[in-house]
Amino acid sequence: KDHILTAAHCVDGLSANRLRIRAGSNQHGSGGKLVKVAKVTQHSEYDAKTIKNDIAVLKLVSSLDFGPTISAVELPSSADDTPQVGTRCSVTGWGSTSAGGSTPSNLLVAYVDIVDHKKCVEEYADRHEVDDSMICAGVKFGGKDACQGDSGGPLVDASSKKQVGVVSWGFGCGQHNQDGVYASTAAYLDWIQGAVLAV
């Protein structure tokens, strides 16, 4: 009720008093409840150049009231609780529907599948390292993906309803053989729990 999971690059260099979170609305700029942020905990080894350790936790000034429009998402149960290749996942956000495109006002969802890690490493071999703390998701011939403005959003296993990733990076949006790259919540489970418990 007191914490929000996001990507480090979304809050890099920002102080808590500049941030607000909106909960309980599927509209980009209205509805639900706006809550101030008390503290930003960004991974201490986040690297803006390599986009490694792209994870952060926000502590809220006041607790969220859970109900029909606001609830918590479950995290993986252990570092080994990672989704299998082909697992169908949802990614949600208010990001562009195409690279450089406009931002929708309604929350959108796309369904993507977990991609073989070695394949993803090879896809980006000449651009960026995809390490073991990252997972990749996309669809076979492209066309569905997270895009600009979706960063920090949740990648959720459609069957278990656990958040398996945080939208991190990619090249273009929905391109064939350029799958979306996500910070793996299983890989950062201990770090997330530590950030939540930190005073």
Side-chain angles (χ1 to χ4, degrees):
K1 294 185 176 188
D2 299 297
H3 297 89
I4 302 294
L5 189 60
T6 188
H9 81 261
C10 293
V11 295
D12 194 30
L14 295 177
S15 57
N17 61 10
R18 291 191 52 199
L19 301 171
R20 304 281 183 277
I21 72 101
R22 186 182 302 279
S25 175
N26 61 10
Q27 298 298 302
H28 187 261
S30 63
K33 181 183 180 186
L34 266 185
V35 184
K36 292 180 179 179
V37 174
K39 183 183 178 189
V40 177
T41 305
Q42 182 177 300
H43 197 291
S44 61
E45 292 174 38
Y46 166 64
D47 186 325
K49 286 195 184 84
T50 62
I51 328 176
K52 287 185 180 183
N53 302 305
D54 191 15
I55 197 153
V57 168
L58 310 180
K59 183 173 178 13
L60 302 178
V61 167
S62 56
S63 300
L64 296 172
D65 297 319
F66 286 170
T69 60
I70 301 175
S71 61
V73 67
E74 201 177 326
L75 290 172
S77 52
S78 72
D80 299 325
D81 186 12
T82 54
Q84 299 291 311
V85 172
T87 300
R88 189 171 191 246
C89 297
S90 66
V91 59
T92 47
W94 287 277
S96 308
T97 51
S98 61
S102 59
T103 305
S105 55
N106 290 336
L107 184 67
L108 298 179
V109 61
Y111 288 93
V112 290
D113 303 317
I114 297 296
V115 172
D116 178 72
H117 194 73
K118 283 181 185 164
K119 175 184 178 286
C120 192
V121 168
E122 287 163 10
E123 283 174 4
Y124 289 111
D126 59 342
R127 296 185 187 221
H128 254 320
E129 184 189 355
V130 176
D131 69 18
D132 288 344
S133 68
M134 302 171 188
I135 58 172
C136 304
V139 292
K140 195 166 187 181
F141 297 107
K144 290 184 181 180
D145 196 3
C147 203
Q148 286 84 24
D150 288 322
S151 291
L155 180 72
V156 176
D157 182 323
S159 57
S160 73
K161 305 296 185 206
K162 290 180 181 180
Q163 183 174 347
V164 296
V166 176
V167 179
S168 182
W169 62 274
F171 284 90
C173 301
Q175 292 183 35
H176 179 48
N177 283 339
Q178 298 277 267
D179 294 301
V181 185
Y182 301 77
S184 165
T185 50
Y188 289 106
L189 199 58
D190 289 346
W191 183 87
I192 294 166
Q193 288 165 343
V196 166
L197 295 172
V199 179

